[in-house]
Amino acid sequence: MSAPEPSTPARPAVARTTPVEPARPSTALLTDRYELTMLQGALADGTAHRHCVFEVFTRRLPAGRRYGVLAGTGRLLEAIADFRFGPAELEWLASERVVDDRTLAFLEGYRFTGDIHGYAEGEVFFPGSPVLVVDGTFAEAVLLETLVLSILNYDSAVASAASRMTSAAVDRPVIEMGARRAHEAAAVAAARATVIAGFAATSNLEAGRRWGLPTTGTAAHAFTLLHDDEESAFVSQVASQGKGTTLLVDTYDVRKGVEAAVAAAGPGLGAVRLDSGDLLSLAQDVRRQLDQLGATGTKIVVTSDLDEYAIAALAAAPVDSYGVGTSVVTGSGAPTCGMVYKLVAREGADGVMAPVAKTSSSKVSVGGRKKAARRLDAQGRASEEVLVGGPDAAVAAWAPETVDLRPLQVPLVQAGAIDTRWTGPAGVNLAAERHRTSRAELPRGARRLSADEAAIPTVLVEIDG
Amino acid sequence: MSAPEPSTPARPAVARTTPVEPARPSTALLTDRYELTMLQGALADGTAHRHCVFEVFTRRLPAGRRYGVLAGTGRLLEAIADFRFGPAELEWLASERVVDDRTLAFLEGYRFTGDIHGYAEGEVFFPGSPVLVVDGTFAEAVLLETLVLSILNYDSAVASAASRMTSAAVDRPVIEMGARRAHEAAAVAAARATVIAGFAATSNLEAGRRWGLPTTGTAAHAFTLLHDDEESAFVSQVASQGKGTTLLVDTYDVRKGVEAAVAAAGPGLGAVRLDSGDLLSLAQDVRRQLDQLGATGTKIVVTSDLDEYAIAALAAAPVDSYGVGTSVVTGSGAPTCGMVYKLVAREGADGVMAPVAKTSSSKVSVGGRKKAARRLDAQGRASEEVLVGGPDAAVAAWAPETVDLRPLQVPLVQAGAIDTRWTGPAGVNLAAERHRTSRAELPRGARRLSADEAAIPTVLVEIDG
C-alpha cells in the first residue's frame, strides 16, 4: 500500500477531543549512562549540590534554513513528571552496578525541584537562542539532559520542516501521514509537532487519542486490489463512508478511475486522491474531467512523496489539500536540530555563581545565563534576537523595559511544579497559536523556501547588573 | 554538554544480562486511520475474510548504498503480541466514531492468526527483497501495515548506516551514543539496531535494560566545568570510577588535559576522550604525549560528530574506539528505508488466489507471492538475490533444491503463534550473528563506502508449479 489518504477537514481544524490517557511508564532510563556516573562522582566530592544553570540552544540552523520552530516542550514537561526511579529502574541499575549505593539512594528519592524557563512551544528560534534554561543543583539538572535533548531535537526538527510546508501550502490544508516512515512512537510525536506548525490533521490514531488531534484517512490501493474490480471497491467505500469520502483513483488508469469514482458516489463525491505520477498535469486533467462530469465541488488531494518544494511547485495546480509523509517526519533533510544542553553557570566553592564554558577548539560556547527577547520594529516585524548576558542575578532579574522588546522565555517549571497550561491537548493548541503569531511576525521574505541566512540576526547585550 | 563518552569494552561485547521488562501498553493505535476504515468497508461487503498476501520490500536503496540491513523484526514480533484493542482503545475509537459498531466488535476480538515469514533479522537485503511476507485474511493483515512499516523502516535505516560504520572501523569498537539526537523511544530502538550491525555498546540505559545491551559512559564537559578546575574533576572521577575510567581531556587545553589526566590516574589510566578539533592530528599528538608520560596502555576514544566517512578517515590514526551519535540514529543521510507493505496476491470471488498489483504510473509493482534465496558461488560469495514467482501454491511450497541457493525467509509467526527465538535479548544476539555472517558473504568490495550499485543483482525466476 502507499501513503494513507486524508479527507479534507475544514480549516482551521479545531475539533479536538478529550483524550483517554494511556498508562505512563517511567522515563528515567531514557538517559545516557554518563549522566548517572557524573552524578555519582559529584555526590562523592560534594559538588552535586552546587547550583547550576544549563542552557539548551543550537549553534546553527540546518543549511539554508531561515528559522527553526521549537516543539516538544509540552511533551517534555509530561516526561519530566514521569522521570522517577521506581523499584524496577533501581533494581536494574543495582544489578548492573551502573552506580554505587549512595547514588541509588539519591535516585530513589529523586524528583526535579528546580526551575525551568523556556521559549513558549511553537516559538521560532535562531542560532544561540536559549530555548530552555534549567536552574537547579547539578545533581537534579544533569539527569534531565538526555531526555530534554531527545524530545526537543526530534520534535523541533519535525516542526521546523512542517512550518515550511504550511508556508508553501498557503491556505490549503496539509495532512501528516508519515507514521510508516518513522519509529512508531516518534510518529506520534511527529504528528503533534506538525499540527503545532500548522498541519490540519494526521493519519495517526494514537496521536489523535493522546493529543486530541483531528485524524483522517479512508483507503489505500490495497482496498481496490482486494476487490474484483475498481468499481466494486468504490461502491463499497461509498456505502461504508458516505459520498463525502475520498476515493483513490490511481490504482489502474486515472481517467477510468475518476469516471468510476463519480459513477459510484455521484457528483457530490467529496474528493479524489492522486498518489503517483506527474501531479501538476494530472491534477489539471482530473479537475477538467471532474468538472465535465458535474463534480465541480469534488476536491483533489495529492500525496506522493511531497515535501515543501513539491508543495510550492503545485501552487498553481488545482489541488485542494496535500498529504505529507516521509519528508516531514524526517525533518526534510534535517532529521535532528543539533540542540545541546550546556552548563553555562554554576556556584563555585565560594558560593558565588560564575559563568563557565568550554574553551578548547571548535566548540566554544558563550558562558553565563542569558535572557532573550525579540526586537520588533514599528510595524511589529521582528528585527533582532536579543540575548542579554551579564552578572547572574542581574540577568535572572532582567525584563524588557521598552515595548519594542518582546520577552521570549516563560516559566515552565517553578520549584519543581510543572505549569500544566503547556501540557496535553490544550498545550498543543497554545503552541499552534504561538507558532502562527510568531511566524507572522517574521520579516517579509523569511518564509521563502530558498536557502539564505537566519531571518534575523542574533545580538548579545551585556548588562552591568 | 557534548556527546556522551564510552569506556572501551572488550570486543566482542557479549556481557548481556537478563532484562527487567517494563509494562507494555497496547500497540494497536500506532496505526493509520485508513487501515480501520478499509476494514470497515471490507467487513460490510464481505471481502474482509479473503485470504491475502502482503509483501514488505523497498524499491531502491538510498543513493550509492550497496546493501541494506534488515532490523526491527524482533521488536515487531513483540509489538504484534501487544496489538490488542482493549477497553481504552475501543472506547476512544467509539467516541471519535472512527469506525462503526460491527468493526468495533471485530476489533474487540482481534488477534493476528495468520503466518508471517521474513528475512532473519540482521540479514542484508536489496531492492525488491521480500523481507517480510504476511499471510492472513485482509482484515487481520491490513491492520498491521503501519506498525510493520514504522518498525522495519526506522530500525533498518539505523542498522544499514551502522553496518557501514562497523565496516569502516574494522576491528575497533564502535559505541552508539545518539540518544539525544533521536526521539526518546526511537533512541532505544536505534541502540538495538546498531548492536545488531556490530556496535559494541550503547550509552542508552533503557536499551541496556530492555535488550540486555552493554552500556557505557563516564563524563561530559559539564563534569569538568562543575568543578573549580580540571584537576579536581579528574581526581574526583578517578576516585569514583577507578583509574580504568575514560577522562575527557578537551574542555580547556588538550595538552594540559592529558597531563592532568595522567597525573590524576597514573600511567594505568584507562582512556582519554577527544570530542572536538582535528581528530587525526590531535590523536597523534595525544598518543605521543601519553607514551612519553608512560601511559602506553591508555586508550584514545574519539567522539566528535563521526560518521562512516570520518571513521574511515581515522583508520591510520592512533585511535582505539569510536563513539557515534547523530549520524547513526538518523541513518547517516537516509533516515528511513522506504519500505512498503503491498498486497501482492488475494483470494478472488472464485476462491482462487490471484496476483494483484497497481499498474498506473510510476509505482508499478510485481504482483504475486515471492520466495527468496541468495545464490552463492563456489567460494561461498553471494552472487545474486533470487526471487521466485509463479502460481501461489507452487511458490508457497518452493524450497531451493541446490546447495548454491541459501533460502532467506524463515517462519516468524505461524497460525498466530510468535516464534520467540527472534524476540528479546536472545533475538538481538541471533540477529547480530546473522548480520556478521551475511555481510561476510558479500562480494569483495561490497563494503567499500564509495557510491555504487547494489552489491549483487536481483533476478526474478518464474516457476510453473
Side-chain angles (χ1 to χ4, degrees):
Chain A
M1 278 181 258
S2 54
E5 176 277 331
S7 57
T8 51
R11 187 184 173 89
V14 290
R16 299 197 173 92
T17 59
T18 308
V20 180
E21 286 294 332
R24 285 157 57 151
S26 168
T27 57
L29 292 188
L30 299 169
T31 297
D32 286 327
R33 179 168 172 144
Y34 80 175
E35 319 289 8
L36 271 65
T37 49
M38 285 192 279
L39 171 62
Q40 175 177 311
L43 285 171
D45 72 20
T47 55
H49 301 293
R50 289 186 171 188
H51 181 195
C52 286
V53 180
F54 285 90
E55 194 181 271
V56 177
F57 62 93
T58 182
R59 292 191 175 89
R60 64 195 75 83
L61 297 174
R65 294 278 182 93
R66 316 293 312 276
Y67 63 93
V69 179
L70 181 70
T73 313
R75 288 214 308 121
L76 173 61
L77 296 179
E78 296 175 19
I80 289 173
D82 297 328
F83 198 98
R84 295 276 191 285
F85 293 86
E89 288 74 34
L90 293 167
E91 186 190 317
W92 182 78
L93 292 171
S95 72
E96 290 288 300
R97 301 180 191 283
V98 173
V99 287
D100 60 17
D101 288 347
R102 174 183 12 210
T103 309
L104 288 172
F106 175 89
L107 294 176
E108 188 171 3
Y110 176 78
R111 65 183 300 274
F112 181 75
T113 63
D115 297 334
I116 303 180
H117 291 74
Y119 282 34
E121 187 166 7
E123 185 60 77
V124 305
F125 66 84
F126 302 94
S129 294
V131 295
L132 205 78
V133 179
V134 179
D135 258 282
T137 64
F138 178 78
E140 62 185 355
V142 76
L143 286 178
L144 298 181
E145 178 185 27
T146 312
L147 187 65
V148 164
L149 291 179
S150 290
I151 293 177
L152 297 186
N153 269 324
Y154 181 69
D155 292 22
S156 300
V158 172
S160 297
S163 177
R164 288 161 60 83
M165 295 170 187
T166 53
S167 277
V170 192
D171 286 330
R172 294 173 178 171
V174 188
I175 315 296
E176 186 280 318
M177 45 178 60
R180 64 194 55 202
R181 300 295 168 82
H183 178 280
E184 69 277 16
V188 182
R192 178 183 180 281
T194 62
V195 169
I196 287 171
F199 275 46
T202 175
S203 63
N204 189 285
L205 290 171
E206 182 63 23
R209 172 165 74 161
R210 198 172 307 171
W211 307 107
L213 311 182
T215 62
T216 61
T218 50
H221 295 114
F223 190 75
T224 298
L225 295 172
L226 169 69
H227 289 81
D228 296 328
D229 50 50
E230 195 172 43
E231 287 72 15
S232 53
F234 287 176
V235 167
S236 168
Q237 187 178 325
V238 171
S240 173
Q241 302 288 327
K243 68 178 186 177
T245 193
T246 300
L247 292 170
L248 176 58
V249 293
D250 69 345
T251 303
Y252 305 113
D253 175 82
V254 173
R255 192 163 178 85
K256 288 183 188 156
V258 171
E259 207 169 289
V262 176
L269 173 63
V272 295
R273 178 163 75 105
L274 301 170
D275 185 47
S276 53
D278 173 2
L279 295 175
L280 181 57
S281 65
L282 211 50
Q284 288 165 336
D285 293 348
V286 168
R287 181 74 271 158
R288 209 172 300 121
Q289 187 185 358
L290 285 169
D291 290 347
Q292 284 164 356
L293 292 168
T296 54
T298 300
K299 294 184 169 178
I300 298 176
V301 185
V302 296
T303 57
S304 182
D305 278 337
L306 300 180
D307 62 11
E308 61 268 46
Y309 302 101
I311 290 171
L314 289 167
V319 162
D320 297 284
S321 68
Y322 304 96
V324 180
T326 307
S327 67
V328 75
V329 300
T330 59
S332 199
T336 181
C337 273
M339 287 182 191
V340 293
Y341 186 90
K342 291 290 164 195
L343 180 64
V344 294
R346 57 107 181 98
E347 193 181 347
D350 54 4
V352 175
M353 291 297 286
V356 295
K358 180 175 187 303
T359 55
S360 83
S361 187
S362 57
K363 287 185 181 171
V364 174
S365 301
V366 179
R369 181 196 299 276
K370 286 172 279 297
K371 280 281 179 71
R374 193 154 296 149
R375 190 181 301 281
L376 306 175
D377 66 17
Q379 285 71 47
R381 292 276 170 187
S383 62
E384 271 181 355
E385 189 83 339
V386 179
L387 309 189
V388 177
D392 192 73
V395 173
W398 182 85
E401 288 174 359
T402 53
V403 294
D404 64 330
L405 286 178
R406 178 166 72 80
L408 291 168
Q409 290 150 325
V410 296
L412 300 168
V413 179
Q414 291 184 289
I418 291 165
D419 187 335
T420 54
R421 278 182 305 158
W422 312 104
T423 62
V428 175
N429 285 333
L430 210 58
E433 178 56 33
R434 169 95 317 267
H435 182 61
R436 266 193 298 279
T437 309
S438 171
R439 188 173 68 176
E441 210 177 66
L442 290 176
R444 292 179 199 288
R447 291 169 67 174
R448 278 199 313 262
L449 298 180
S450 45
D452 207 336
E453 299 297 305
I456 57 174
T458 298
V459 298
L460 182 62
V461 176
E462 290 281 339
I463 58 174
D464 295 333
Chain B
M1 277 182 257
S2 53
E5 176 277 331
S7 58
T8 51
R11 187 185 173 88
V14 290
R16 299 198 172 92
T17 59
T18 309
V20 179
E21 286 294 332
R24 285 157 57 151
S26 168
T27 57
L29 293 188
L30 299 170
T31 296
D32 286 327
R33 179 169 172 144
Y34 80 175
E35 319 289 8
L36 272 65
T37 49
M38 285 192 279
L39 171 62
Q40 174 177 311
L43 285 171
D45 72 19
T47 55
H49 301 293
R50 289 186 171 187
H51 181 194
C52 287
V53 180
F54 285 90
E55 195 180 271
V56 177
F57 62 93
T58 182
R59 292 192 175 89
R60 64 194 76 83
L61 297 174
R65 294 278 181 92
R66 315 293 311 277
Y67 63 92
V69 179
L70 181 69
T73 313
R75 288 213 308 121
L76 173 61
L77 295 180
E78 295 175 18
I80 289 173
D82 297 328
F83 199 97
R84 296 275 191 285
F85 293 86
E89 288 74 34
L90 293 167
E91 186 190 316
W92 182 78
L93 292 171
S95 72
E96 289 288 300
R97 302 181 192 282
V98 172
V99 286
D100 60 18
D101 288 347
R102 174 182 13 210
T103 309
L104 288 172
F106 175 89
L107 294 177
E108 188 171 3
Y110 176 78
R111 65 183 300 273
F112 180 75
T113 63
D115 297 335
I116 303 180
H117 291 75
Y119 282 33
E121 187 166 7
E123 185 60 77
V124 304
F125 66 83
F126 302 94
S129 294
V131 295
L132 204 78
V133 179
V134 179
D135 258 281
T137 65
F138 178 78
E140 62 185 355
V142 76
L143 286 178
L144 298 181
E145 178 186 27
T146 312
L147 188 65
V148 164
L149 292 178
S150 289
I151 293 177
L152 297 186
N153 269 324
Y154 180 69
D155 291 22
S156 300
V158 172
S160 297
S163 177
R164 288 161 60 83
M165 295 170 187
T166 53
S167 277
V170 192
D171 287 330
R172 294 173 178 171
V174 188
I175 315 295
E176 187 280 317
M177 45 179 59
R180 64 194 55 203
R181 300 296 168 83
H183 178 280
E184 69 277 16
V188 182
R192 179 183 179 281
T194 62
V195 169
I196 287 171
F199 275 47
T202 175
S203 63
N204 190 284
L205 290 171
E206 182 63 24
R209 172 166 74 161
R210 198 172 306 171
W211 307 107
L213 311 182
T215 62
T216 62
T218 50
H221 295 114
F223 190 75
T224 298
L225 296 172
L226 169 69
H227 288 81
D228 296 328
D229 50 51
E230 195 172 43
E231 288 72 16
S232 53
F234 287 175
V235 167
S236 168
Q237 187 178 326
V238 171
S240 173
Q241 302 288 327
K243 68 179 185 177
T245 193
T246 299
L247 292 169
L248 177 58
V249 293
D250 69 345
T251 303
Y252 305 112
D253 175 82
V254 173
R255 191 163 178 85
K256 288 183 188 156
V258 171
E259 208 168 289
V262 177
L269 173 63
V272 296
R273 178 162 75 105
L274 301 170
D275 186 47
S276 54
D278 173 1
L279 295 175
L280 180 57
S281 65
L282 211 50
Q284 288 165 337
D285 293 349
V286 168
R287 181 73 270 158
R288 209 172 300 122
Q289 188 184 358
L290 285 169
D291 290 347
Q292 284 165 357
L293 292 168
T296 53
T298 300
K299 294 184 170 177
I300 298 176
V301 185
V302 296
T303 57
S304 182
D305 278 336
L306 300 180
D307 62 11
E308 61 268 46
Y309 302 102
I311 290 171
L314 290 167
V319 162
D320 297 284
S321 67
Y322 304 96
V324 180
T326 307
S327 67
V328 75
V329 300
T330 59
S332 199
T336 181
C337 273
M339 286 182 191
V340 293
Y341 187 90
K342 291 289 163 194
L343 180 64
V344 294
R346 57 108 180 98
E347 194 181 347
D350 55 4
V352 175
M353 291 298 286
V356 295
K358 181 175 187 302
T359 55
S360 82
S361 186
S362 57
K363 286 185 181 172
V364 175
S365 300
V366 179
R369 180 196 299 275
K370 286 172 279 297
K371 280 279 178 73
R374 193 155 296 149
R375 190 181 302 282
L376 306 175
D377 66 17
Q379 285 72 47
R381 293 276 170 187
S383 62
E384 271 181 355
E385 189 83 339
V386 179
L387 308 189
V388 177
D392 192 73
V395 174
W398 181 86
E401 288 175 359
T402 53
V403 294
D404 64 330
L405 286 178
R406 178 166 72 80
L408 291 168
Q409 291 149 325
V410 297
L412 300 168
V413 179
Q414 292 184 287
I418 291 165
D419 187 335
T420 55
R421 277 182 305 158
W422 311 104
T423 62
V428 175
N429 285 332
L430 210 58
E433 178 55 34
R434 168 96 318 266
H435 183 61
R436 266 193 297 280
T437 309
S438 172
R439 189 173 68 176
E441 210 177 66
L442 290 176
R444 292 180 199 287
R447 292 170 67 174
R448 278 199 313 263
L449 299 180
S450 46
D452 207 336
E453 299 297 305
I456 57 173
T458 298
V459 298
L460 183 62
V461 176
E462 291 281 339
I463 58 173
D464 295 333

